[in-house]
Amino acid sequence: MAERYPLRPIVVDEFDAFHAVSEQAFHEGPPSERQRAGMLSRHELDRTLAAFDGSRPVSSAAIYSFQMCVPGALAAVGGVTFIAVLPAYRRQGILTAMMRRELDDMHERGETLGALWASEAGIYGRFGYGRASRQATFTVRRGEGAFVRDAPADPKLRLRVAEPDAVQAELAKVYDTLLPAQPGMFSRNEAWWRRVLADPEEERQGAGAVHCLLAEDDAGPRGYALYKGHGRWDLDTFLPDAQLEVRELASTDPAATAALWADLLHRDLVSEVTARLRPEDDPLLHLLADPRRARPTIADGLWVRVVDVPGALSLRRYPCPVDVVIEVIDDGCPWNQGRWRLTVPAPGDTASCTRTTDPADVILPVSALGAAYLGSTKLGALAAAGQATELKTGMLNALSATLTWDPAPWCPVIF
């Protein structure tokens, strides 16, 4: 493949042809000028890769250089995106070559992890990625938003509706406060905030403009919700049938969380509130007097690939001590292959992870390690599916317990 369809980074003049591969793969039209400018502001051309048939790109792959929260730390993470191969060029090793090249690139740059959102969940396990987080969708209908009687409240808290662009600095303060404690979140620069707040009229599809509901007190912002409405009426009965879509909601304390949700769930004329890309342990499920009314549906979120086993395992923090030898199976990154002793002296202490010749206690394919790394996926479930093996009694449970983390990982934006 390498000789027939060489891989290389693109240059800026090749971006439109590069994007055309994605248009074919994802059945989309070309980007608007605004979208194109936004993508170019986020893309790192030296990490934007294509296979070429002559001068024509026939595949696409890109990596964003992220600082992402992992349990107890921030990590350098390669955010993998734009993976596609033109239909006529499939089954010729191009995808494998691109994924291999990206792993080498992340390793050379010192990134301990790769992360992605999977367009098709069956693809990325063979490249060492494991399903590391889940995201929820909630649908609450009119009259179903009653809270438990002891829901938190704060009389000092104020809510105000604002235009998102005008309060970006306040939104960033809230987000940056949450970032160090929320696995799965990545730091946002100006280009990423522009993407989150983007609301071009031609893409609204009948919805109103995106608004911001800000929760604040005299000390500053404590939470926000980005949302938009779809105004509708039943013309036969003249009953309102509007829908409210929550694009992002983040807050720094329980009272702000409750205030934002209560406001959104009790808007006039709204028959249904939908919130997507929510954390699987969203506090809304505990605020509602009848949590079934959230109608939660769960899907996979981030997929994580451990690129540097000792770097990744020694970086994050752990809730309980452990001393375990893990045999990692990793055909894609030979530097990871072998046995590693993970030692955590006490909760919150710096861990050590060193290569060892001692007998293994647990055998993990690297995809299982990636699935468990952010603290949500349990090793017991993976073992029951044949994706983890215990060699010394009790050590699988011990390792699973120390890999868990609270809160559950959550990435509020698909990249």
Side-chain angles (χ1 to χ4, degrees):
M1 193 288 299
E3 295 179 359
R4 188 174 182 188
Y5 306 119
L7 286 172
R8 64 167 174 83
I10 68 167
V11 297
V12 67
D13 290 344
E14 295 169 326
F15 182 79
D16 292 336
F18 168 88
H19 193 273
V21 175
S22 176
E23 294 164 27
Q24 287 275 349
F26 293 97
H27 314 290
E28 298 173 341
S32 66
E33 284 301 314
R34 182 203 61 81
Q35 290 172 322
R36 184 179 184 276
M39 285 186 282
L40 282 171
S41 72
R42 295 186 299 272
H43 275 269
E44 303 161 50
L45 289 182
D46 62 333
R47 309 194 79 179
T48 302
L49 189 69
F52 284 81
D53 187 355
S55 61
R56 178 194 180 203
V58 298
S59 71
S60 64
I63 298 177
Y64 298 124
S65 302
F66 285 149
Q67 286 292 310
M68 181 177 284
C69 180
V70 301
L74 287 178
V77 174
V80 174
T81 188
F82 266 82
I83 302 296
V85 179
L86 285 178
Y89 294 84
R90 296 170 65 230
R91 314 293 185 200
Q92 299 186 55
I94 294 176
L95 176 61
T96 298
M98 289 196 305
M99 299 302 289
R100 171 76 261 172
R101 176 81 165 261
E102 289 199 322
L103 289 173
D104 290 342
D105 177 71
M106 286 185 268
H107 183 59
E108 290 166 5
R109 292 171 185 257
E111 291 168 333
T112 56
L113 303 170
L116 57 79
W117 289 80
S119 56
E120 291 196 51
I123 295 176
Y124 294 100
R126 61 190 170 107
F127 302 113
Y129 286 83
R131 186 181 63 174
S133 78
R134 280 157 286 281
Q135 45 99 5
T137 296
F138 301 135
T139 302
V140 183
R141 293 176 183 156
R142 185 179 180 90
E144 298 178 344
F147 279 180
V148 294
R149 275 188 266 181
D150 58 349
D154 183 349
K156 300 189 296 294
L157 196 65
R158 302 184 301 269
L159 298 180
R160 66 180 171 102
V161 175
E163 294 309 306
D165 289 339
V167 292
Q168 180 182 319
E170 286 89 340
L171 308 188
K173 286 180 183 178
V174 173
Y175 187 90
D176 291 344
T177 299
L178 295 175
L179 175 63
Q182 179 58 68
M185 275 188 172
F186 60 87
S187 59
R188 290 177 179 172
N189 58 19
E190 181 66 24
W192 278 101
W193 274 111
R194 284 199 302 270
R195 176 181 166 182
V196 170
L197 301 181
D199 183 33
E201 188 170 355
E202 66 271 16
E203 296 176 17
R204 292 178 184 169
Q205 298 180 329
V210 172
H211 296 293
C212 175
L213 181 65
L214 195 66
E216 58 190 354
D217 60 19
D218 290 342
R222 292 166 51 179
Y224 66 85
L226 299 172
Y227 65 95
K228 62 181 178 179
H230 300 257
R232 297 190 315 192
W233 293 83
D234 184 329
L235 297 182
D236 294 326
T237 61
F238 206 60
L239 288 171
D241 190 28
Q243 292 182 313
L244 203 69
E245 179 184 337
V246 181
R247 286 179 45 163
E248 184 167 295
L249 187 150
S251 56
T252 61
D253 63 88
T257 300
L260 290 166
W261 277 118
D263 182 280
L264 295 171
L265 294 176
H266 294 89
R267 289 290 180 93
D268 291 339
L269 309 182
V270 173
S271 61
E272 188 172 272
V273 177
T274 301
R276 296 181 176 86
L277 293 179
R278 299 303 303 162
E280 62 175 313
D281 58 352
D282 197 303
L284 177 64
L285 296 169
H286 304 284
L287 283 169
L288 287 172
D290 183 354
R292 293 180 184 176
R293 299 297 176 175
R295 297 172 180 82
T297 59
I298 305 296
D300 57 288
L302 282 180
W303 290 64
V304 166
R305 211 287 183 195
V306 177
V307 178
D308 175 0
V309 167
L313 290 180
S314 60
L315 175 67
R316 61 155 287 179
R317 296 297 183 260
Y318 301 87
C320 52
V322 77
D323 184 9
V324 60
V325 175
I326 308 166
E327 184 170 342
V328 176
I329 308 301
D330 189 352
D331 296 332
C333 296
W335 54 85
N336 284 336
Q337 186 85 15
R339 280 169 277 172
W340 301 91
R341 179 178 291 278
L342 173 64
T343 305
V344 181
D349 279 1
T350 300
S352 68
C353 183
T354 56
R355 194 174 284 280
T356 182
T357 58
D358 292 343
D361 300 317
V362 174
I363 300 175
L364 294 181
V366 73
S367 58
L369 184 59
Y373 183 79
L374 293 183
S376 179
T377 304
K378 303 296 188 291
L379 291 182
L382 292 170
Q387 300 302 305
T389 304
E390 181 178 67
L391 300 179
K392 184 177 180 181
T393 302
M395 294 310 295
L396 186 77
N397 283 345
L399 179 58
S400 186
T402 205
L403 284 170
T404 58
W405 196 256
D406 195 6
W410 173 50
C411 184
V413 62
I414 296 174
F415 53 80

